[in-house]
Amino acid sequence: MHYINIHNKSDHDQEFEVHGWNGNKSITVKPRATTVLHAEDKTSGAIIAVHDGHEGEQAEITKDGFGGADFIDLSNIVSGGGNLTVQQVGEPSTRKGNPLFMQHLNEAWHNADAKLKESLKSCVHLDKSGKVVRIDAIKDHPDLDKLVRTFANGKTYIGVGAWGGSPGNKSDNDQSSAGHGDKDILVTYNDGDATPDNPPHLAHRPVEKLVPQPHSSDTHSGPGVILGNKSAKEEQYFFYDNYWNGNGTAGANFDHPLKSVKAGAHATAFVSLPESFKGRVLRGIHLPATWAEFQISASNDHAAHGDISLEQGCDGAATISATDGSKRSNGFTHDILKDAPAAAKVKKPDGTEALATTMGNWMSGPNKAAIEYEKKVVGQDKAYITGGTGVPDVASRNNCLAVDFY
């Protein structure tokens, strides 16, 4: 099973027609939120933005098509009234669409001569200020086709392409190129730039080429983490090293794990890590999830430092502890999911429940119910809930921390 993530970057509700999934029922995506649809392999359809009751730009998608690859394209053949892009999740090279289509359209329109504007007045719709807000079907208006190709040729379907014996336009035909295998899909809408945000994580990113860490015991030598699975079933944990680190900032990496570890129920494993490691470990690859954030050797004191964070969700309790004899520890061990209010919970892609993000991400904004509930049952002194300060740092002078997931 894969997923289609429809993200609305704009500050208003946006309606989409859904063809091929969701029972062919339309959806409305809230501002800066994401709706996730199940998409079975070997299925095809379209996600179509709707503007004042008119169909507009559309993402056309075939899941697991010829050769096992996804085929995606962005089409403005029938209309345009906003900016839309489509790509495989975590694969920006597969992106289709002009993320500034309407801005470029307005620029081209205002630079057009009077004769061209006169020929297009029936199919180019303006607001009271003279701004283009929507166009009719490009395929029905040759002059509109020419205008749009001045800025969007090769980025979106403009004409009908090869169809009914016509060879079509090569730039249009090239839009239907294969993706990188069979993956989740991201559709992004905006009135402004529809380029997907550079997220700190990728919720459904398939993980490949992992470096496995054999499960052994908690015997350790050197820098790393003693990882404990306190649950009643085997779990797999993923370690992500930041892409970069700055003064109080970091380029969080959630698409290229450094290591993965399988730990049986109530088992522990020592995970060796380089002293340069600064990142996090989480259970599985899907968000929302509880994070254990840590670095192995800080630049100021060369000790290991870490904390527990619920900012990007909570899929269970976790603690982080020093192993240098100082007995420093933080986090929580009790199950807070079972009594959580329904408004605070979401379903992960694997069907399990978790508490939603408290800080927001490319899938949704901050969940107020989760914030209030976690402040009550955990507190900012045990784990990061809404950023800021107040969470005691756990330091271990021997460059080794113990992280337990419950």
Side-chain angles (χ1 to χ4, degrees), residues 9 16 21 40 123 148 161 166 178 266 282 294 320 352 357 369 389 402:
K9 285 181 69 175
F16 297 90
W21 306 282
E40 298 281 355
C123 60
V148 172
S166 170
H266 307 293
L282 61 155
F294 62 93
I320 190 164
T352 60
T357 173
T389 59

Side-chain angles (χ1 to χ4, degrees), residues 148 272 296 354 382:
V148 172
S272 177
I296 295 298
K382 295 293 184 182

Side-chain angles (χ1 to χ4, degrees), residues 229-366:
N229 175 12
K230 301 296 186 180
S231 77
K233 61 186 179 75
E234 183 182 74
E235 296 280 7
Q236 188 167 10
Y237 302 91
F238 294 81
F239 289 78
Y240 295 84
D241 201 3
N242 291 339
Y243 282 127
W244 53 265
N245 296 280
N247 183 15
T249 62
N253 161 25
F254 277 88
D255 54 355
H256 290 90
L258 179 69
K259 291 185 176 183
S260 72
V261 179
K262 283 187 177 180
H266 307 293
T268 59
F270 174 65
V271 184
S272 177
L273 294 168
E275 289 193 10
S276 60
F277 184 93
K278 294 182 180 182
R280 54 203 44 80
V281 57
L282 61 155
R283 177 179 11 224
I285 61 171
H286 298 304
L287 292 182
T290 305
W291 291 1
E293 306 174 303
F294 62 93
Q295 56 182 317
I296 295 298
S297 179
S299 59
N300 56 350
D301 63 0
H302 302 291
H305 292 261
D307 60 71
I308 301 300
S309 173
L310 307 182
E311 294 175 342
Q312 291 301 329
C314 174
D315 61 353
T319 60
I320 190 164
S321 307
T323 65
D324 60 359
S326 64
K327 297 184 179 181
R328 285 183 286 261
S329 184
N330 208 1
F332 62 105
T333 61
H334 55 292
D335 180 6
I336 67 172
L337 291 173
K338 62 181 181 179
D339 296 323
K345 294 190 287 188
V346 295
K347 283 286 183 72
K348 296 176 69 168
D350 61 6
T352 60
E353 282 190 329
L355 297 181
T357 173
T358 60
M359 294 294 286
N361 52 46
W362 67 270
M363 293 186 294
S364 66

Side-chain angles (χ1 to χ4, degrees), residues 58-328:
Q58 57 186 285
E60 301 172 325
I61 303 162
T62 294
K63 290 295 300 147
D64 187 24
F66 179 77
D70 297 328
F71 286 78
I72 56 176
D73 65 68
L74 204 292
S75 174
N76 287 97
I77 294 174
V78 299
S79 184
N83 301 324
L84 199 69
T85 59
V86 59
Q87 68 173 72
Q88 291 179 310
V89 169
E91 300 286 357
S93 65
T94 67
R95 188 176 304 150
K96 306 290 178 63
N98 181 346
L100 292 169
F101 182 90
M102 291 303 293
Q103 284 73 17
H104 294 159
L105 173 61
N106 269 278
E107 182 179 358
W109 171 257
H110 290 298
N111 289 333
D113 59 34
K115 181 179 179 181
L116 180 58
K117 288 182 178 179
E118 179 64 24
S119 72
L120 297 176
K121 66 180 183 181
S122 65
C123 60
V124 175
H125 302 276
L126 313 176
D127 64 13
K128 293 180 180 179
S129 68
K131 178 182 177 181
V132 180
V133 294
R134 185 174 58 82
I135 55 175
D136 291 338
I138 298 173
K139 64 184 179 64
D140 297 331
H141 302 277
D143 285 344
L144 184 57
D145 182 298
K146 293 177 183 178
L147 180 71
V148 172
R149 288 194 188 280
T150 62
F151 62 86
N153 196 47
K155 297 179 181 179
T156 178
Y157 255 112
I158 298 170
V160 295
W163 187 261
S166 170
N169 185 288
K170 184 179 185 302
S171 295
D172 294 336
N173 297 334
D174 289 345
Q175 294 305 299
S176 295
S177 55
H180 299 164
D182 180 19
K183 299 184 178 181
D184 293 345
I185 303 297
L186 172 61
V187 178
T188 304
Y189 174 86
N190 201 3
D191 299 329
D193 191 344
T195 302
D197 293 328
N198 195 15
H201 60 274
L202 295 164
H204 315 304
R205 174 79 162 121
V207 178
E208 302 172 354
K209 298 181 180 178
L210 300 180
V211 180
Q213 177 74 20
H215 168 249
S216 56
S217 69
D218 63 359
T219 301
H220 68 278
S221 176
V225 163
I226 300 174
L227 179 68
N229 175 12
K230 301 296 186 180
S231 77
K233 61 186 179 75
E234 183 182 74
E235 296 280 7
Q236 188 167 10
Y237 302 91
F238 294 81
F239 289 78
Y240 295 84
D241 201 3
N242 291 339
Y243 282 127
W244 53 265
N245 296 280
N247 183 15
T249 62
N253 161 25
F254 277 88
D255 54 355
H256 290 90
L258 179 69
K259 291 185 176 183
S260 72
V261 179
K262 283 187 177 180
H266 307 293
T268 59
F270 174 65
V271 184
S272 177
L273 294 168
E275 289 193 10
S276 60
F277 184 93
K278 294 182 180 182
R280 54 203 44 80
V281 57
L282 61 155
R283 177 179 11 224
I285 61 171
H286 298 304
L287 292 182
T290 305
W291 291 1
E293 306 174 303
F294 62 93
Q295 56 182 317
I296 295 298
S297 179
S299 59
N300 56 350
D301 63 0
H302 302 291
H305 292 261
D307 60 71
I308 301 300
S309 173
L310 307 182
E311 294 175 342
Q312 291 301 329
C314 174
D315 61 353
T319 60
I320 190 164
S321 307
T323 65
D324 60 359
S326 64
K327 297 184 179 181
R328 285 183 286 261

